[in-house]
Amino acid sequence: MAKEILGWSKPIPRLVYLIHQQQTMLSSYPPYFFSCKRELPQRRVKRKAIATVNRENQSIGDDISSEKPVTYKVNALVNVRYDRTEDVKEMMLHLFDAFSNSTQWALILQLLSTEIDPRTMAPKRSKKTMLDCSKNLTIGAQSSTFKVQFVVDSTFGVPGAITVVNRYEKELFLESVIIEGVVCFSCNSWVQPENIIAHKRIFFSDKPYLPWETPAGLKELREEELRQLRGNGKGLRVFSDRIYDYDMYNDLGNPDKGIEYARPTLGGEKNPHPRRCRTGRPPTNTDIFAESPVQEPMQIYVPRDDGMERCKKEDFEVGRQKGMRRNLVPYLASIADRDAFERFSDINGLYKKRSSLEMKSPLAKIIEKVQDYIEPYKFEPPVTISMDASCCLRDDEFGRQALAGINPLSLERLKVFPPTSKLDPSIYGPQESALKEEHIIGHLNGLSIQQALEENRLYIIDYHDNILPFLNQVNCFDDRKAYATRTIFFLTPIGTLKPIVIELSLPPVDPNSPSKQVLTSPVDATTTWMWQLAKAHVCSNDCGVHQLVHHWLRTHACMEPFIISAHRQLSVMHPIYKLLHPHMRYTLKINALARQYLINVEGIIENDFTTGKHSMLISSAAYKDWWRFDLEGLPEDLIRRGLATRDQTKPHGLRLFIEDYPYANDGLLIWSAIEELIRTYVNYYYKDPSMVCSDSELQAWYYESINLGHEDLKNASWWPRLYSPEDLSSILTTLIWLASAQHAALNYGQYPYGGHIPIRPPLMRKLVPKEDDPEYAKFVADPEQYFLSALPSRFQSTRFMAVIDILSTHSIDEEYLGERKDLSSWSGDSEILEAFYRFSMEMKRIEKEIEKRNVDPNLRNRHGAGTTAYELLIPSSRHGVTCRGVPNSITI
């Protein structure tokens, strides 16, 4: 058949026939596939009618059926990337090597077949090929393409893997090897010099294989690659390693510096926590169970391929330099003992002035440039604030941000009034709240409390149990004061939330000393300022729980074990690994940076959040008593918080009790799109439950994620089972949702929503004064100054603002939901390609739908005078701080 197709009368190599089949397959793709921006990576390679396959020293028409196999030369393109900081140095080295005709410096490549050689019982191999990277080297280029030839015989079969040895003195980034028109190897990995890592690197072709589908020639290689990635769990991990393993968070403190710098280990029975990537650093001198901190400028180890691209590093550096510039003046003011804000105008002075002229005017652009030149030490005004005289948080905006702010995950429907605590009453006092009927009955539009509960009109943000256990330790410091807060909201007839009462709790001193304070909507000037102070304390609680529980714990920390296990147990050939790969990008590196700069001793969290050095214990407590993986999906989370119920007559099968809930409404669009893509993908590879159960790699991945990565909760009964395609689809949908949309909703609005300190202070320095307090007279005499003195200092504020500005920034190399660069993996699977294409188009449709909702005057929680549109779940974004954009993974 092959001879008839190609018009040859002699036997032909199988590789040549496959080339023809590849051309036939490509011609059958729908037209839109080739017009899509995320086309096969081969688009960068000039297409040829057929790969050049020349028989060595013979013509194609000669008899090739002799005893000795006939050899052929197969052309391939190798794409290599260099570290641009080393360009000149490397150029000189390579030129010297080229002139000396040295063969010592080169990449050594060898093709491996999918078939076994019966003589050696090992994969059939091509002759080794030497690549001299000194040729065509261009200074400043991000990558270079080289042409090589592999010599194979006529019985070689299909290329399935390639081995690479780096004989240069420095690492090289191998992007891809493309055998023109036939097989693509998307490597995208740093290859270390042979004198650092002696074993050959193995790269597999892009074609996915389930474990039992693995060709005979690749089975042992598949297992060997995973053994290399697991390591042996011993020794110090170094920069060049590619080893994934688990460890506890025993590296947040520095006890060698003093007992006050010691921090408890997170992980284990006392302080449960997800595991992190092991580094193997030696213990400290004073505590053998604590890992020694890294010393600047060194950074915490992550496997080499999980590091950041250069453009990402450059974005960080630009943000760091801006932050240092903006902190200079406040730092000098703190030294001069002028660190407090005196008036709201002092806070407004932190921001660059907005031009009042039409932005399209050339004059306005000139004015902007002048302002940028003379105000290099100022911040961009957050888009969510109005620079009015008061700068305080309005009640309507307070309620709106519970639905469409940076933390839309704490709101719950109130089911019982008054609310009660679950804390031990012998330690933390009575479980009953101080809230009474008289506090709220006048704000319910004529409804009784029972009617309001039955009609789903009462909602609560309750931080009582999260914060109260730590308040004695926090409030013993002069510059940290906090309450454990409860706030009740009433759902108005127009669908907005109105705050009606705030409860402020302190740990009980004695049975006769009241520890709870209740404030209701203000009725005069004094109660107005007290109400503002109470709201500031609520927002400070919210800022901490948002960062420590919803953001760090539920996305960053809880995703890391699944990522580590995927690298250890799923081959890069596995279809589920290929699906998850873009959703794991940068996460291990970002979490390592967080351990080094954010959640460590004297880090940003300790310095700038009310709970200080006790902050990470809040994460641990939430993980122990509250976190459940089976409730981390969006529908389950909404139901858990009492904000939705199952209703198959409604879109997405849910009925929301607050119809205008921007986070939930937009999130369900993305959730459903992810769910549909994953269902299609999983059902393509797993036709029945037996295939899921018999997939050894898949089962090992899930088992290890739970039993090693989430070891402290491994015996919980709520872990979803993995017995069927439906189980797998649900687990994968939840993971991809957490890594993409959930993280985006919690992260990229941090500066836009939190960059104005009076609205969302990360810490408070004074309590709400009572009439018998010594400071009450100062409060009454100058409430504005008292309010400002309760906020973070000028230097604390600008330091915090600089950090969240960096954390809210999209890097220039961001890859957004709906974008994939690895579609060549499914070049022969039109059903999968079409599913990805539909998903990409659905992201564009969702974007248009959200934009349409944001201009609907009937949706008052996302539209109105002075109201910022909710855009955090719009999938695409430009570079910078945009308050929108959903990357594929946790990249910041």
Side-chain angles (χ1 to χ4, degrees), residues 119-146:
R119 295 169 299 176
T120 63
M121 298 308 295
K124 297 178 181 178
R125 300 172 183 266
S126 72
K127 293 184 178 180
K128 293 180 180 179
T129 296
M130 181 181 300
L131 171 59
D132 180 2
C133 293
S134 64
K135 299 177 181 178
N136 301 324
L137 184 64
T138 304
I139 294 180
Q142 291 188 354
S143 63
S144 296
T145 300
F146 303 91

Side-chain angles (χ1 to χ4, degrees), residues 666-685:
D666 296 354
L668 285 169
L669 294 176
I670 295 178
W671 171 271
S672 296
I674 295 173
E675 188 176 45
E676 177 60 28
L677 170 67
I678 302 308
R679 185 185 299 115
T680 300
Y681 189 91
V682 168
N683 289 340
Y684 180 83
Y685 287 102

Side-chain angles (χ1 to χ4, degrees), residues 250 252-263 284-288 290-293 601:
N250 61 347
L252 302 183
N254 187 7
D256 289 348
K257 195 175 177 180
I259 188 63
E260 66 271 23
Y261 296 95
R263 295 294 179 267
T284 61
N285 296 324
T286 53
D287 183 354
I288 63 171
E291 189 171 273
S292 57
V601 60

Side-chain angles (χ1 to χ4, degrees), residues 95-128:
L95 287 178
F96 175 79
D97 293 337
F99 282 121
S100 64
N101 294 318
S102 171
T103 58
Q104 180 180 0
W105 312 106
L107 287 181
I108 309 301
L109 302 96
Q110 188 173 31
L111 276 181
L112 280 67
S113 173
T114 57
E115 300 176 6
I116 290 288
D117 187 334
R119 295 169 299 176
T120 63
M121 298 308 295
K124 297 178 181 178
R125 300 172 183 266
S126 72
K127 293 184 178 180
K128 293 180 180 179

Side-chain angles (χ1 to χ4, degrees), residues 781-793:
D782 193 344
E784 178 182 339
Q785 201 284 324
Y786 187 93
F787 180 87
L788 292 173
S789 68
L791 299 178
S793 69

Side-chain angles (χ1 to χ4, degrees), residues 450-520:
Q450 188 59 36
Q451 287 174 321
L453 291 172
E454 291 173 355
E455 295 181 16
N456 304 315
R457 304 287 290 276
L458 291 176
Y459 295 83
I460 187 171
I461 294 179
D462 189 347
Y463 294 134
H464 182 277
D465 290 4
N466 297 96
I467 305 296
L468 192 67
F470 306 96
L471 285 185
N472 280 333
Q473 299 97 312
V474 169
N475 289 339
C476 68
F477 294 99
D478 292 338
D479 62 343
R480 304 287 174 100
K481 301 300 175 185
Y483 297 99
T485 66
R486 288 188 178 110
T487 307
I488 293 182
F489 299 85
F490 178 71
L491 181 63
T492 68
I494 60 173
T496 59
L497 288 180
K498 174 186 175 183
I500 58 176
V501 66
I502 295 173
E503 181 187 59
L504 306 174
S505 297
L506 294 171
V509 178
D510 59 70
N512 299 319
S513 175
S515 59
K516 302 179 188 297
Q517 185 177 357
V518 176
L519 292 94
T520 57

Side-chain angles (χ1 to χ4, degrees), residues 39 47 168 182 185 416 491 506 646 711 743 775:
E39 187 186 344
R47 298 183 183 277
Y168 290 100
V182 184
F185 298 84
V416 176
L491 181 63
L506 294 171
R646 297 285 183 188
E711 183 177 352
H743 178 260
E775 289 201 323

